[in-house]
Amino acid sequence: MKLLAVVLVALFAYVSAECNVLERFKVKHQWQEVFTEKGRTDFSLKFWKEFLHDHPDLVALFKRVHGDNIYSPEFQAHGIRVLAGLDSLIGVLDEDDTLTVQLAHLKAQHTERGTKPEYFDIFGRHLFDILGDELGTHFDLGAWRDCYAIIAAGIKP
């Protein structure tokens, strides 16, 4: 009986840590609530303002797009491009072949730019904070952690 309980707990942990079908649905639905056509610019500004405030050492990474001024049109466009890329990945979370191709493309881009793997972990933590602020008690942190782990692992150089 104890063995069965251990096996069931292990199976549950395995299934819940892989971005299962229900988690993919939740992530897609929650993302659609916050990254709307009308609200994406505000969401982007909130995200990058907090991100760069907490990590001023990373501002230099965005020199080409005026990272020292998140209100500039160049940075606004860049910020939305990054989040639109995430939007695209979230949109195909349940399409394994398409997701794999998109992740490989983004991995190549970030490898070429010399992006450090730990930047994706920092990005994820800030994303979860902003999503929690926006969604309140409806935010499913576990689902986001599991699904973002797949995205980040696929892009990290």
Side-chain angles (χ1 to χ4, degrees), residues 46-87:
K46 286 178 197 174
F47 175 83
W48 290 108
K49 185 175 184 180
E50 181 177 309
F51 182 90
L52 293 174
H53 175 269
D54 290 353
H55 302 281
D57 53 312
L58 300 182
V59 170
L61 295 174
F62 303 100
K63 184 177 181 178
R64 181 180 59 82
V65 292
H66 305 281
D68 59 337
N69 178 7
I70 63 170
Y71 303 98
S72 71
E74 295 86 358
F75 191 84
Q76 286 289 309
H78 176 76
I80 290 184
R81 261 192 315 274
V82 170
L83 293 173
L86 178 62
D87 180 60

Side-chain angles (χ1 to χ4, degrees), residues 24 27-28 31-32 35-36 40 43 79-106 109-110 123 127 144 147-148 150-151 155:
R24 291 170 193 233
V27 165
K28 288 174 95 167
W31 181 247
Q32 288 174 348
F35 199 67
T36 63
R40 66 183 59 205
F43 182 85
I80 290 184
R81 261 192 315 274
V82 170
L83 293 173
L86 178 62
D87 180 60
S88 178
L89 292 168
I90 290 169
V92 296
L93 272 174
D94 52 357
E95 300 172 33
D96 291 337
D97 293 341
T98 305
L99 179 63
T100 300
V101 170
Q102 285 191 2
L103 289 172
H105 173 74
L106 290 170
Q109 283 184 336
H110 288 88
F123 183 94
L127 179 65
W144 275 93
C147 294
Y148 182 75
I150 289 171
I151 291 170
I155 299 175

Side-chain angles (χ1 to χ4, degrees), residues 4-16:
L4 177 61
V6 169
V7 169
L8 289 175
V9 168
L11 180 62
F12 176 76
Y14 172 75
V15 168
S16 66

